[in-house]
Structures are given as C-alpha cells and as structure tokens.
Amino acid sequence: MAYAPHISQDVSVRVVMLKVLIALLPGIFAYVWFFGPAILVQILLASVTALSAEALMLKLRGKPVLLFVTDGSALVTAWLVALTFPPIVPWWLTVTGVLIAILVVKHLYGGLGQNPFNPAMVAFCAMIVAYPQLMSQWPRAEMNTFEPMLRAIFASDRQLDAIVMATPLDALRTILRDPEQRATIAGILGSHATFGNIGGRGWEWVAAGYLVGGLWLLKQRIITWHVPVAFAVTLALVATTFNIANPDRFVGANFHLFTGGAMLGAFFIATDPVSGSTTPLGKIIFAAGAALLTWIIRSFGAYPDGMAFAILLMNLFVPLIDMLTQPKVFGHRRKSER
Amino acid sequence: MLELFRFPGGIKPDAHKEESARTPIAPAPLPPLLVVPFRQSATGGVDIRVKVGERVLKGQCIGSAEGPFGTCVHAPTSGTVIGIESRTLPHPSALAAPCAIIEADGEDAWRERVPLEPFSTDPAKLRTRIREAGIVGLGGAVFPSHVKMNAHIETLVINGAECEPWITCDDRLMRERAPTIVAGAAIIRHLMGAKRILFGIEDNKPDAAAAMRAAVEAAGGKDMQVIPVPTRYPAGGEKQMIRVLTGIEIPYGKLGPDFGVQCFNVGTAHAVARAVLHDEPLICRIVTLAGNYARPGNVEARIGTPIDALLALGEPKPDTDRIVMGGPMMGFVLPESSLPVVKATNCLLAMSPALFPPPPPEMPCIRCGACTRACPMILQPHELYWYARSKNFGKAQEYHLFDCIECGCCAYVCPSHIPLVDYYRFAKSEIRAREREKAAADRARERYEFRKFREEREKAEKAARLAAKAAETKAKLAQEGAAAVIAAAQSRAHPEGKDEA
C-alpha cells in the first residue's frame, strides 16, 4: 500500500461474521436441548442454500466469488432465517426464505453492505404472510422426537398434532382474545403447558442462550451496548407499565423479554450494522422504536410476534434517524449552543 | 496534580519504540555533497541569496524569507555551491523544487554568531531571530514557528507525546537534551507572554519524562509542569494534546491563540534555544531509523544529507522493499532514497513485506461503526467514505470532511480494509481544485463583466460625445441661423453702411 496508514488492526469482515456465528451457539445449544436436532437440519439447509445463492449471484455480478462467499455474511443471514423459522417447516419454505434474503434483499440491492432491510427479517415476514399456517407450527417443548420432525421437513407429512403446539406468545394471545374463556394472564401462565418459569417453556432457555452469546459479542466489541440496552429497557418499560395498569390483559416484562424473538432481536438482529442506525443516539432510537413496535404488534397486532415487522419498519427510518442524530464534531458546538 | 481530559476515539497500535530508543543519538557523518531545498516550510517562499560557485559558511543564510510566512534557509556546512537546480523533494506530492547543491569543504566553519540574551530582548526581535533561524514545526508539519508565535497566550503546551509507532527522535531528544528543551520553552513563553508551560509526554516514555522533570527543576521551573498523558494514538496531535492537557477543543478553522493556548513540538523548542542562545540556525535534526534495520537508532543529520547516507548507518536488511518518511500511521513512501533530509524528516521507516504485510483485499463497508468509535474528531468516517466515493462533495463537507486530521485511526480499525484516508484526501483535493476553478471562473467572469462594462461605458461616452457634438453643431447652426436672421433683420432695419455711423 502506497498511502498511510501502513499498518492495520488484525480484523476482517470474516472474523466479525465468525464471531456472530459463534455467539449464536449457546442459543442453538439450548434449542437442540429442548426441541431436538431438527433445527440443525434447518441450519444446514439454510447454509447450503445461502452459500449457493451467494456464489451464483457473485458470479453473475462479476465479483470475486471465493473472497465474498467466505466472508461469512451469507451464513449469518442463513442462520438467522433458520432460527426465526419454526424448526419443522417444510424444507422448501426454508430454501425459499433464504433465497429471498440472499437473492432479492441482499444482492438486488447491491450485495454486502448495501441492503437497507435486514435480509433474514424480510424472509421471515414474506413467509409468514404467504404461509401463515406453516409458519405457526412450532414443536412442543421436550418433545425432541427427531423422526416425525424429519418427516415434517422433508416428506411434507403434516400430521403433526402430537408434536406441534402454539408458541407461548400465540397461546397467550389466542386465549386472551377468546371472550368465552374470560381468562387472566395469571391464570393462563399457571395452567398452560406452553409456559415455563419466565417465558415459554424451553424458549426461555433459548433466549438465555442468546443473551449469553450477545453479552460475549458485546465484550468482543462487535456490537455496542446501545442497541441491546435500548431494546430491552424499552420493551421492559412498556410491558411493565401496561402490566401494572392492567395485569389481567397485559403480560409483564420478563415474559416479553424471554419469549419469541426478543433476545435474538436485541443482540443479533437490531444490531445488524448494515440495515441499522450507526450513530450512538440513532442506535438507541432505532432499538427503542423496534422494541416499542414489537410490543404493540404483540399486544394488539394480527401476528403473535412482532419483532421482525418492527425491525423492518425501523429500517425504513434509518436514513432519517442517522441524519438527525449526527454527533457533535470535535470542537464544534451543537446548533442549540450557537 | 493537573486534571487530565480525554480526547475521543483513538487507537493503541503496537508501539515498537524499544529497538530504536535503546541507543543514544549518533551524529551522522558529514556527507561530501548536500542538497538543500530552498522550500523548507509548509508555506511561504524564499529569495535565493547565493550563486553557483559561491563559497558559503556553516549557518550562512542562502535563502532569505519572503513574505510573512517565509523562513530562512541555511548552509548546513561550509563549502561551495556547485549548483542550483530543481530536484525532487521528499514530500507526498513528489514535486521538484529549486535546491542548492553544496560541496562540503570538510572544515565545517561557522559564520559569525551573535547569541541573544532572551529575557531582556524585545519579543519582536526574538521572533525575527526565530524566523531568520529557519525554525519550523519539527513534529513533521513544518509550519513556520514565528507565525505561530505571533500571539499572546495563557498556556504554552510543549508536545513530547510522540504517539506514532516506531518513531523515537523526540524521546531520545528529551532524554539527552532536556535542559535545552526547557530553555527553549522558557524563551517561547517569554515571547508569547504565557503564564504557564505544560510539557505533555506519553506515559510509555518514563525516562524522557524523568529527564524533563529534572531539567524543569534544575531550571527553577516556575509554572512549568511535566505531565504524562495516556498512551493512545493520536495523543500527539496538536488538538488532542491541547484537549488532554487543558480541556480545550479547537475546532477546524480556529487557532490555539483564539483559546489562549499554543502548542510546539519539543524539537522546535530545542531549536529555538539553539537559535537564540547560540545563534545556530536550524541546519540539522534528529532522524529515527526504525523498522527493518540491523542497527536501528537515532541520528543527528544535517538538512540536505542524502537519505541513502543515513540508511547506510542503520544498515537496512536485504528484504527491505521501501522506505517511509514519517511513521506508519501518517508517513508516506519515498519515491526514491536518494532524496535529501529535510526539516520534516523525523523518521525513515524501513519496511519489508514480513514486517509490514500488505493489507488484505478491500471489502465493502458494512457500517460496523469501528471507524466512528476510533475517530478522534467525532466524525462519521463511514458516511464521509460514502460521500467521497460517490463524489457527493457537498454532503462530504456537510459531514465536516475538513475537520479530518488524516490520522488514519479509521483505516487502521476497518475490518473491510478500506483505505479510508485516501478517500478523504481525494475528496479534499477535489473540493480544493473545484474551489480554485470556481475562483478562476469568478475572476474570468469579473474580467468579462468589467470589459463589457468598459465597452458599454466607452460606447455611452462615445454616444455622449457624438450627441454633444451634434448638439453643439445644432446649436452652432442655430446660432448661425439666428445670426443670419438677425443680420438680415438688421440689414433690413439698417441699410448697409448706416449702422456704423
């Protein structure tokens, strides 16, 4: 290199992406522990699809294939798609989701670093809109019988009553909306097999796994505190406020944080630097907005979990947020001080 | 104990200072031929005062300062000027400029020297001495010191941070010549009316700090403080050093004295003392030989010494593939090693592929924000990159492109290995070129408009003249007509010859 600086830190996009993948492992471990190894099949399926699609697009676009395929970014997208989809969706659903993420959301917008929307979240939203039923069949906790799950994935055997169950968020929502049941939150959480100690049975441990991985990412300085803290604090504040106001109708903060996509969203999805805000204040606004929207959709919306929609909606505001939250440059004064 | 402030961002690259800082400063031998560029400061011109064939003495002014920003240039030894010709300068632009080629006679005979007693001398006279001694900022920026001294300040900051990896010339200077640095600082303080002096030294140079502290005490150090500052690049940036020691943030376009503070490098303070107390102009400087050498160290070299001759002292290892002048963060690759040492030559870093591996391939920006966290100016490097790359220069300026000090922290931490600083340099030069073009166009337009105005004025004047003439003629005709009528009338009233009667 002819121009300064002539030295650089020993980091690379590959290392950054690899660390994100490593940070997902505790969550995946808990996932396998409670829900069986089907998720690993989905992750493998998603990874192969993502790498193939990535290679194809790079070839078509005349980019160095090997360099970019090995950067790890496609794998991160693939794993996030697999982890947000139910583990027993048919194989073609995962493949279609990943193809949407890589081909459309990533490469049609210009490839690595150019996509204004989070690819995995677009895949999730597209699929839940197109196949709401398939996308809401989740396995029962501690029901890790591998064989019927494999049949569900590959043989389109949808005789799943024995192993399928609504997610905690879905169950809570359905019961609350049924006027005949006249149920209260306390009653539901106590009586239903879906729920565990904090969130959903099993799912609370998966969320805890994501929390552990996320904290490690924070320590590795891959992400900053702004997004996870703003996301968690906002979700907790809103949930607690409404829970106090009407404990029969609105569930509390712990449940919100340890159920559904909250932890994954706080540490791995809202922190996506490409589609998220980049200024310190912008990150806080972005994550707080995403958490607020997640809570609103969960509490009043048509879908049980609102995290994916919330992130996409906030992606829309990123250019505006970034523009309005530029930090004060060294030695300059803020507009209000002039 | 003085309260220290933090500057934002910054990085901690491996320092690599030990190798070259171990041994004392060695004098570089007098080369047979010296090439002294007449342009030795960041600004201003020089009036050449020697002719080919002329004999010069050591310290003799061979180029006198031109304009308020010029500084003098001197013969580094006694000898004969055997040529004045254009030579490539060791500067990132690699442009050529006039140089005096001096053949040393080996006598090293000084011109007459007239030391000054600084504290009874008029500050204006001291400034003139400093200008005539050719003193410029020796931190590497070579801005004329007398210009920076033309102000009244509260706090004088002497910068001994030396935050760039590998470079140790200031470290050695402080360890070996601390009393002279303190004496120089005292002269600058007197000249600028400052109340206190703060010596800022990165805390990875305890020996230098100890030597400086001892010198301050020996000098009776009233209102002088030696302050270790945390080792974090770019702590030696002028704005960063002032921020750390005083809490003052100097924005782009403002100067230290606007806030009652001014900052000089330790090498500059040393040069000031030599110039005032011994009437020695700036004809040599300490140069660090670090990197891929068998014998790294620091040498005191005369300005104009061929860089080749210095390299030989450090004995570059065989796999050395290029020489960087300056440090690895802000230095530039020398186009050739035959160029002369100039006042900005603080370090000659020998590089090899093993020691300084080429960067991995450039990847797209993923907006990870590492650059933003590292930027000491609180800029948004990824946004600046985006706008520079898309040639959206207006936006780049809106995002404070010109506040960038090109320290290289952003490029250092970038996981995508994007040469970010190159993009900023490109954008800055494009904007400056466009402004020059615009200024030229403005001048052309003004000329054209003035010509049009002049032509119109001339036309109007001509028309006015013509109209006046016409009116005159008309009036004349009318007058003549009237006269004829009167005459006719008179002739009618008074028959010829009667009216005289």
PDB file of all heavy atoms in Angstrom, chain A residues 298-320:
ATOM      1  N   ARG A 298     -47.239  -7.328  19.275  1.00  0.00           N
ATOM      2  CA  ARG A 298     -47.533  -8.489  20.109  1.00  0.00           C
ATOM      3  C   ARG A 298     -48.852  -8.309  20.862  1.00  0.00           C
ATOM      4  O   ARG A 298     -49.620  -9.251  21.020  1.00  0.00           O
ATOM      5  CB  ARG A 298     -46.412  -8.696  21.137  1.00  0.00           C
ATOM      6  CG  ARG A 298     -45.183  -9.373  20.571  1.00  0.00           C
ATOM      7  CD  ARG A 298     -44.123  -9.482  21.654  1.00  0.00           C
ATOM      8  NE  ARG A 298     -42.977 -10.265  21.195  1.00  0.00           N
ATOM      9  CZ  ARG A 298     -41.969 -10.603  21.997  1.00  0.00           C
ATOM     10  NH1 ARG A 298     -41.978 -10.239  23.266  1.00  0.00           N
ATOM     11  NH2 ARG A 298     -40.966 -11.311  21.520  1.00  0.00           N
ATOM     12  N   SER A 299     -49.094  -7.102  21.336  1.00  0.00           N
ATOM     13  CA  SER A 299     -50.246  -6.873  22.191  1.00  0.00           C
ATOM     14  C   SER A 299     -51.524  -6.615  21.413  1.00  0.00           C
ATOM     15  O   SER A 299     -52.605  -6.952  21.864  1.00  0.00           O
ATOM     16  CB  SER A 299     -49.989  -5.683  23.126  1.00  0.00           C
ATOM     17  OG  SER A 299     -48.821  -5.908  23.863  1.00  0.00           O
ATOM     18  N   PHE A 300     -51.418  -5.982  20.240  1.00  0.00           N
ATOM     19  CA  PHE A 300     -52.637  -5.603  19.525  1.00  0.00           C
ATOM     20  C   PHE A 300     -52.679  -6.112  18.090  1.00  0.00           C
ATOM     21  O   PHE A 300     -53.700  -6.001  17.431  1.00  0.00           O
ATOM     22  CB  PHE A 300     -52.785  -4.077  19.484  1.00  0.00           C
ATOM     23  CG  PHE A 300     -52.711  -3.427  20.828  1.00  0.00           C
ATOM     24  CD1 PHE A 300     -51.598  -2.700  21.208  1.00  0.00           C
ATOM     25  CD2 PHE A 300     -53.757  -3.555  21.728  1.00  0.00           C
ATOM     26  CE1 PHE A 300     -51.525  -2.098  22.454  1.00  0.00           C
ATOM     27  CE2 PHE A 300     -53.698  -2.955  22.976  1.00  0.00           C
ATOM     28  CZ  PHE A 300     -52.575  -2.227  23.340  1.00  0.00           C
ATOM     29  N   GLY A 301     -51.548  -6.608  17.556  1.00  0.00           N
ATOM     30  CA  GLY A 301     -51.476  -6.898  16.130  1.00  0.00           C
ATOM     31  C   GLY A 301     -52.052  -8.248  15.746  1.00  0.00           C
ATOM     32  O   GLY A 301     -52.516  -9.017  16.583  1.00  0.00           O
ATOM     33  N   ALA A 302     -51.965  -8.524  14.447  1.00  0.00           N
ATOM     34  CA  ALA A 302     -52.524  -9.762  13.920  1.00  0.00           C
ATOM     35  C   ALA A 302     -51.535 -10.920  14.029  1.00  0.00           C
ATOM     36  O   ALA A 302     -51.904 -12.069  13.862  1.00  0.00           O
ATOM     37  CB  ALA A 302     -52.921  -9.561  12.469  1.00  0.00           C
ATOM     38  N   TYR A 303     -50.285 -10.622  14.263  1.00  0.00           N
ATOM     39  CA  TYR A 303     -49.278 -11.677  14.358  1.00  0.00           C
ATOM     40  C   TYR A 303     -48.821 -11.832  15.799  1.00  0.00           C
ATOM     41  O   TYR A 303     -48.716 -10.840  16.527  1.00  0.00           O
ATOM     42  CB  TYR A 303     -48.082 -11.347  13.471  1.00  0.00           C
ATOM     43  CG  TYR A 303     -48.433 -11.358  12.011  1.00  0.00           C
ATOM     44  CD1 TYR A 303     -48.806 -10.194  11.358  1.00  0.00           C
ATOM     45  CD2 TYR A 303     -48.428 -12.557  11.280  1.00  0.00           C
ATOM     46  CE1 TYR A 303     -49.156 -10.195  10.022  1.00  0.00           C
ATOM     47  CE2 TYR A 303     -48.777 -12.561   9.947  1.00  0.00           C
ATOM     48  CZ  TYR A 303     -49.135 -11.389   9.316  1.00  0.00           C
ATOM     49  OH  TYR A 303     -49.486 -11.404   8.008  1.00  0.00           O
ATOM     50  N   PRO A 304     -48.537 -13.070  16.210  1.00  0.00           N
ATOM     51  CA  PRO A 304     -48.169 -13.279  17.606  1.00  0.00           C
ATOM     52  C   PRO A 304     -46.880 -12.563  17.994  1.00  0.00           C
ATOM     53  O   PRO A 304     -46.785 -11.974  19.053  1.00  0.00           O
ATOM     54  CB  PRO A 304     -48.017 -14.803  17.716  1.00  0.00           C
ATOM     55  CG  PRO A 304     -47.904 -15.300  16.324  1.00  0.00           C
ATOM     56  CD  PRO A 304     -48.635 -14.326  15.457  1.00  0.00           C
ATOM     57  N   ASP A 305     -45.852 -12.627  17.114  1.00  0.00           N
ATOM     58  CA  ASP A 305     -44.597 -11.950  17.457  1.00  0.00           C
ATOM     59  C   ASP A 305     -44.342 -10.825  16.458  1.00  0.00           C
ATOM     60  O   ASP A 305     -44.405 -11.040  15.249  1.00  0.00           O
ATOM     61  CB  ASP A 305     -43.434 -12.951  17.453  1.00  0.00           C
ATOM     62  CG  ASP A 305     -42.212 -12.375  18.150  1.00  0.00           C
ATOM     63  OD1 ASP A 305     -42.255 -11.188  18.539  1.00  0.00           O
ATOM     64  OD2 ASP A 305     -41.232 -13.113  18.321  1.00  0.00           O
ATOM     65  N   GLY A 306     -44.042  -9.648  16.943  1.00  0.00           N
ATOM     66  CA  GLY A 306     -43.903  -8.502  16.059  1.00  0.00           C
ATOM     67  C   GLY A 306     -42.481  -8.090  15.780  1.00  0.00           C
ATOM     68  O   GLY A 306     -42.245  -7.113  15.077  1.00  0.00           O
ATOM     69  N   MET A 307     -41.500  -8.859  16.309  1.00  0.00           N
ATOM     70  CA  MET A 307     -40.120  -8.416  16.237  1.00  0.00           C
ATOM     71  C   MET A 307     -39.658  -8.169  14.793  1.00  0.00           C
ATOM     72  O   MET A 307     -39.078  -7.124  14.493  1.00  0.00           O
ATOM     73  CB  MET A 307     -39.237  -9.454  16.931  1.00  0.00           C
ATOM     74  CG  MET A 307     -37.894  -8.972  17.347  1.00  0.00           C
ATOM     75  SD  MET A 307     -36.708  -9.279  16.073  1.00  0.00           S
ATOM     76  CE  MET A 307     -36.781 -11.058  15.944  1.00  0.00           C
ATOM     77  N   ALA A 308     -39.957  -9.110  13.889  1.00  0.00           N
ATOM     78  CA  ALA A 308     -39.482  -8.980  12.512  1.00  0.00           C
ATOM     79  C   ALA A 308     -40.090  -7.761  11.836  1.00  0.00           C
ATOM     80  O   ALA A 308     -39.380  -6.975  11.186  1.00  0.00           O
ATOM     81  CB  ALA A 308     -39.803 -10.238  11.722  1.00  0.00           C
ATOM     82  N   PHE A 309     -41.387  -7.589  11.998  1.00  0.00           N
ATOM     83  CA  PHE A 309     -42.037  -6.430  11.389  1.00  0.00           C
ATOM     84  C   PHE A 309     -41.499  -5.129  11.985  1.00  0.00           C
ATOM     85  O   PHE A 309     -41.289  -4.139  11.282  1.00  0.00           O
ATOM     86  CB  PHE A 309     -43.556  -6.515  11.579  1.00  0.00           C
ATOM     87  CG  PHE A 309     -44.198  -7.589  10.751  1.00  0.00           C
ATOM     88  CD1 PHE A 309     -44.525  -8.816  11.303  1.00  0.00           C
ATOM     89  CD2 PHE A 309     -44.458  -7.380   9.403  1.00  0.00           C
ATOM     90  CE1 PHE A 309     -45.094  -9.810  10.535  1.00  0.00           C
ATOM     91  CE2 PHE A 309     -45.037  -8.379   8.629  1.00  0.00           C
ATOM     92  CZ  PHE A 309     -45.355  -9.599   9.194  1.00  0.00           C
ATOM     93  N   ALA A 310     -41.300  -5.158  13.286  1.00  0.00           N
ATOM     94  CA  ALA A 310     -40.808  -3.957  13.968  1.00  0.00           C
ATOM     95  C   ALA A 310     -39.447  -3.536  13.426  1.00  0.00           C
ATOM     96  O   ALA A 310     -39.202  -2.363  13.150  1.00  0.00           O
ATOM     97  CB  ALA A 310     -40.714  -4.213  15.467  1.00  0.00           C
ATOM     98  N   ILE A 311     -38.556  -4.526  13.246  1.00  0.00           N
ATOM     99  CA  ILE A 311     -37.213  -4.206  12.736  1.00  0.00           C
ATOM    100  C   ILE A 311     -37.308  -3.640  11.319  1.00  0.00           C
ATOM    101  O   ILE A 311     -36.662  -2.640  10.994  1.00  0.00           O
ATOM    102  CB  ILE A 311     -36.322  -5.466  12.746  1.00  0.00           C
ATOM    103  CG1 ILE A 311     -36.211  -6.008  14.159  1.00  0.00           C
ATOM    104  CG2 ILE A 311     -34.965  -5.190  12.105  1.00  0.00           C
ATOM    105  CD1 ILE A 311     -34.979  -5.706  14.915  1.00  0.00           C
ATOM    106  N   LEU A 312     -38.130  -4.257  10.482  1.00  0.00           N
ATOM    107  CA  LEU A 312     -38.244  -3.769   9.099  1.00  0.00           C
ATOM    108  C   LEU A 312     -38.807  -2.354   9.066  1.00  0.00           C
ATOM    109  O   LEU A 312     -38.356  -1.512   8.289  1.00  0.00           O
ATOM    110  CB  LEU A 312     -39.141  -4.698   8.271  1.00  0.00           C
ATOM    111  CG  LEU A 312     -38.555  -6.057   7.929  1.00  0.00           C
ATOM    112  CD1 LEU A 312     -39.470  -6.799   6.974  1.00  0.00           C
ATOM    113  CD2 LEU A 312     -37.168  -5.926   7.320  1.00  0.00           C
ATOM    114  N   LEU A 313     -39.809  -2.101   9.912  1.00  0.00           N
ATOM    115  CA  LEU A 313     -40.386  -0.750   9.939  1.00  0.00           C
ATOM    116  C   LEU A 313     -39.335   0.265  10.367  1.00  0.00           C
ATOM    117  O   LEU A 313     -39.238   1.357   9.796  1.00  0.00           O
ATOM    118  CB  LEU A 313     -41.586  -0.709  10.902  1.00  0.00           C
ATOM    119  CG  LEU A 313     -42.872  -1.339  10.348  1.00  0.00           C
ATOM    120  CD1 LEU A 313     -43.912  -1.468  11.448  1.00  0.00           C
ATOM    121  CD2 LEU A 313     -43.418  -0.493   9.199  1.00  0.00           C
ATOM    122  N   MET A 314     -38.535  -0.112  11.348  1.00  0.00           N
ATOM    123  CA  MET A 314     -37.497   0.823  11.794  1.00  0.00           C
ATOM    124  C   MET A 314     -36.389   0.968  10.751  1.00  0.00           C
ATOM    125  O   MET A 314     -35.782   2.032  10.642  1.00  0.00           O
ATOM    126  CB  MET A 314     -36.913   0.396  13.143  1.00  0.00           C
ATOM    127  CG  MET A 314     -37.850   0.550  14.330  1.00  0.00           C
ATOM    128  SD  MET A 314     -38.677   2.157  14.442  1.00  0.00           S
ATOM    129  CE  MET A 314     -37.319   3.249  14.846  1.00  0.00           C
ATOM    130  N   ASN A 315     -36.127  -0.088   9.973  1.00  0.00           N
ATOM    131  CA  ASN A 315     -35.145   0.015   8.880  1.00  0.00           C
ATOM    132  C   ASN A 315     -35.503   1.178   7.949  1.00  0.00           C
ATOM    133  O   ASN A 315     -34.630   1.879   7.431  1.00  0.00           O
ATOM    134  CB  ASN A 315     -35.117  -1.275   8.039  1.00  0.00           C
ATOM    135  CG  ASN A 315     -34.335  -2.394   8.699  1.00  0.00           C
ATOM    136  OD1 ASN A 315     -34.471  -3.549   8.335  1.00  0.00           O
ATOM    137  ND2 ASN A 315     -33.522  -2.066   9.690  1.00  0.00           N
ATOM    138  N   LEU A 316     -36.816   1.376   7.754  1.00  0.00           N
ATOM    139  CA  LEU A 316     -37.287   2.461   6.882  1.00  0.00           C
ATOM    140  C   LEU A 316     -36.828   3.823   7.384  1.00  0.00           C
ATOM    141  O   LEU A 316     -36.600   4.736   6.596  1.00  0.00           O
ATOM    142  CB  LEU A 316     -38.820   2.472   6.851  1.00  0.00           C
ATOM    143  CG  LEU A 316     -39.545   1.468   5.980  1.00  0.00           C
ATOM    144  CD1 LEU A 316     -41.038   1.550   6.246  1.00  0.00           C
ATOM    145  CD2 LEU A 316     -39.261   1.769   4.518  1.00  0.00           C
ATOM    146  N   PHE A 317     -36.723   3.948   8.702  1.00  0.00           N
ATOM    147  CA  PHE A 317     -36.429   5.263   9.277  1.00  0.00           C
ATOM    148  C   PHE A 317     -34.932   5.523   9.468  1.00  0.00           C
ATOM    149  O   PHE A 317     -34.554   6.608   9.886  1.00  0.00           O
ATOM    150  CB  PHE A 317     -37.125   5.398  10.641  1.00  0.00           C
ATOM    151  CG  PHE A 317     -38.618   5.477  10.529  1.00  0.00           C
ATOM    152  CD1 PHE A 317     -39.404   4.377  10.800  1.00  0.00           C
ATOM    153  CD2 PHE A 317     -39.223   6.658  10.119  1.00  0.00           C
ATOM    154  CE1 PHE A 317     -40.779   4.452  10.678  1.00  0.00           C
ATOM    155  CE2 PHE A 317     -40.598   6.742  10.001  1.00  0.00           C
ATOM    156  CZ  PHE A 317     -41.380   5.630  10.283  1.00  0.00           C
ATOM    157  N   VAL A 318     -34.109   4.519   9.161  1.00  0.00           N
ATOM    158  CA  VAL A 318     -32.677   4.660   9.454  1.00  0.00           C
ATOM    159  C   VAL A 318     -32.033   5.895   8.814  1.00  0.00           C
ATOM    160  O   VAL A 318     -31.352   6.653   9.503  1.00  0.00           O
ATOM    161  CB  VAL A 318     -31.915   3.367   9.090  1.00  0.00           C
ATOM    162  CG1 VAL A 318     -30.426   3.622   8.979  1.00  0.00           C
ATOM    163  CG2 VAL A 318     -32.195   2.310  10.135  1.00  0.00           C
ATOM    164  N   PRO A 319     -32.267   6.143   7.502  1.00  0.00           N
ATOM    165  CA  PRO A 319     -31.619   7.335   6.932  1.00  0.00           C
ATOM    166  C   PRO A 319     -32.010   8.615   7.660  1.00  0.00           C
ATOM    167  O   PRO A 319     -31.170   9.475   7.926  1.00  0.00           O
ATOM    168  CB  PRO A 319     -32.123   7.350   5.488  1.00  0.00           C
ATOM    169  CG  PRO A 319     -32.508   5.939   5.200  1.00  0.00           C
ATOM    170  CD  PRO A 319     -33.021   5.376   6.497  1.00  0.00           C
ATOM    171  N   LEU A 320     -33.292   8.714   8.013  1.00  0.00           N
ATOM    172  CA  LEU A 320     -33.763   9.908   8.715  1.00  0.00           C
ATOM    173  C   LEU A 320     -33.140   9.998  10.116  1.00  0.00           C
ATOM    174  O   LEU A 320     -32.641  11.042  10.528  1.00  0.00           O
ATOM    175  CB  LEU A 320     -35.289   9.867   8.816  1.00  0.00           C
ATOM    176  CG  LEU A 320     -35.936  11.071   9.507  1.00  0.00           C
ATOM    177  CD1 LEU A 320     -35.777  12.315   8.649  1.00  0.00           C
ATOM    178  CD2 LEU A 320     -37.394  10.814   9.807  1.00  0.00           C
TER     179      LEU A 320
END
